Amino acid sequence: MKRFSNALTQAAILMTVMTLTGGAHAADNVTVALDWTPNTNHIGLYVAKAEGFYDKAGLDVDILPYSDTSSGTLVSNGIAGFGIAGPIAVITQRTAGADIKAVYAIVQHETGRLVFNADREDIQSPKDLDGKVFAGFGGIWNKIVRDMIINDGGDGDFETVTLGTSAYEALANGQVDFTLDIATWEGVNAALEGQEQRSFTYSDYGVPGQQTTMIISSDAYLNDNPETARSFLAATLEGYRWAAENPDKAADILMEANPSVLTNAALVHGSMEALVDGRYLIAEDGTIGTIDPKRFNALGAYLTEAGVLQDESGATISDAPDFTPYFSNDYLPE
């Protein structure tokens, strides 16, 4: 497995963390709301706690237990200062009036994909999915699948059964023809269980690729706590960098912090290997944490065209808003 080594960058970030500590009160409390049960997308948070990066920044960070209330709702209502969310959630909720803003891109490349069993010789490209059964999740995902099929020359006509996380078992058993998954988690798990799969990438068929997972905050919190926000993101960035350079140790830290949830060590370690080798946490050019405006705006335009964005009154919008206030890189260390 590749390891990332950049001692000068590490030193600069640690210096930033220590410098910002002087601007934040000692042991400032910061709460973070997760988007799902703890997994490797969250690993930088747990590493930063365990390795003392938050302590050095003068922060007492509380990672809230996952609940049915979305992280965006908790952040926009001031219950959490930060949260984890996908860019689709950020765009849809902010357009609808929620006070949320993306401030850190956890992954630098799209981790989502369309998957099907490898022995399906009748599926060679998305147009072959016409007439087949999709184990779906509701929301925008049907639109994404339909566009992939149409952009490949098909009709976009398929049957959908909404199964949630049961989709993966249904696919393995041959009860459905295809589904969507996260390559660095469900994809890793399928390989561990000996399920041979093939996949299609969204962006190869006209659907904008995403930086799939982000850290969010709110304008209210950022305006009231700018130095605490900078300290938190600098320490969190160092947590993700440390995890990318020490994936096995980081996986152990994540499991030790969540022993009742993360019981499959092979999956957690395999997921970390996939995140590091795929250059998801740190891009090929060394980028870490930075949100790509071009990709964010392209996704926003796509969601507008899809007719899924609604304003505060619940009316569907037809013209793309200015997405500039939806995200910021200003709180990241330079």
Side-chain angles (χ1 to χ4, degrees):
M1 182 184 299
K2 300 172 183 175
R3 298 290 188 269
F4 301 98
S5 179
N6 192 332
L8 290 176
T9 302
Q10 278 187 312
I13 291 174
L14 280 172
M15 185 175 295
T16 300
V17 172
M18 296 175 69
T19 299
L20 289 173
T21 301
H25 296 296
D28 277 352
N29 182 258
V30 174
T31 54
V32 185
L34 301 184
D35 59 334
W36 198 248
T37 53
N39 58 68
T40 49
N41 282 340
H42 312 137
I43 200 156
L45 302 170
Y46 289 96
V47 166
K49 280 179 68 73
E51 291 299 304
F53 301 142
Y54 290 140
D55 290 339
K56 291 177 184 176
L59 301 175
D60 179 10
V61 176
D62 183 19
I63 302 174
L64 300 178
Y66 171 70
S67 72
D68 291 336
T69 304
S70 75
S71 58
T73 298
L74 295 173
V75 168
S76 66
N77 286 292
I79 298 170
F82 295 91
I84 309 296
I88 291 177
V90 173
I91 293 169
T92 55
Q93 290 181 293
R94 174 102 187 193
T95 302
D99 181 12
I100 57 175
K101 183 190 291 284
V103 291
Y104 184 104
I106 291 175
V107 296
Q108 292 297 314
H109 306 296
E110 174 73 71
T111 55
R113 60 182 189 164
L114 186 154
V115 294
F116 51 96
N117 293 330
D119 61 0
R120 294 296 298 270
E121 294 300 323
D122 58 326
I123 302 176
Q124 296 300 320
S125 71
K127 65 178 179 289
D128 298 326
L129 301 174
D130 271 332
K132 294 183 170 56
V133 180
F134 168 47
F137 307 90
I140 187 63
W141 304 109
N142 276 36
K143 164 71 173 171
I144 288 175
V145 171
R146 185 170 293 109
D147 283 351
M148 292 177 70
I149 294 173
I150 291 173
N151 291 337
D152 189 46
D155 296 326
D157 182 16
F158 54 91
E159 178 184 351
T160 301
V161 292
T162 303
L163 298 178
T165 56
S166 299
Y168 308 115
E169 181 179 353
L171 179 65
N173 295 335
Q175 296 171 306
V176 298
D177 297 306
F178 65 100
T179 190
L180 308 178
D181 78 357
I182 299 298
T184 54
W185 190 259
E186 289 89 7
V188 171
N189 190 56
L192 289 172
E193 294 182 353
Q195 300 167 12
E196 296 185 8
Q197 297 177 330
R198 289 184 287 134
S199 65
F200 300 135
T201 301
Y202 305 150
S203 59
D204 287 343
Y205 298 95
V207 177
Q210 310 171 41
Q211 291 173 291
T212 322
T213 309
M214 295 180 168
I215 297 176
I216 61 172
S217 188
S218 65
D219 283 322
Y221 184 89
L222 295 169
N223 290 336
D224 289 344
N225 306 278
E227 296 308 318
T228 298
R230 290 187 176 94
S231 294
F232 170 74
L233 290 177
T236 299
L237 186 151
E238 186 61 17
Y240 278 104
R241 184 182 297 281
W242 192 97
E245 296 179 346
N246 304 275
D248 289 333
K249 292 179 180 178
D252 289 338
I253 287 172
L254 181 64
M255 288 187 292
E256 288 169 5
N258 302 279
S260 64
V261 176
L262 298 173
T263 58
N264 187 339
L267 173 58
V268 178
H269 282 272
S271 179
M272 272 308 299
E273 182 175 355
L275 283 167
V276 173
D277 287 353
R279 294 293 186 125
Y280 291 104
L281 299 181
I282 304 178
E284 291 81 356
D285 64 358
T287 299
I288 177 171
T290 303
I291 298 168
D292 182 347
K294 183 177 180 180
R295 277 185 281 177
F296 196 99
N297 288 324
L299 179 62
Y302 177 81
L303 295 174
T304 305
E305 185 276 331
V308 299
L309 297 186
Q310 297 179 338
D311 63 19
E312 294 183 52
S313 68
T316 300
I317 67 168
S318 56
D319 296 322
D322 178 10
F323 294 111
T324 304
Y326 288 46
F327 65 94
S328 175
N329 291 312
D330 293 345
Y331 296 90
L332 296 174
E334 296 181 0

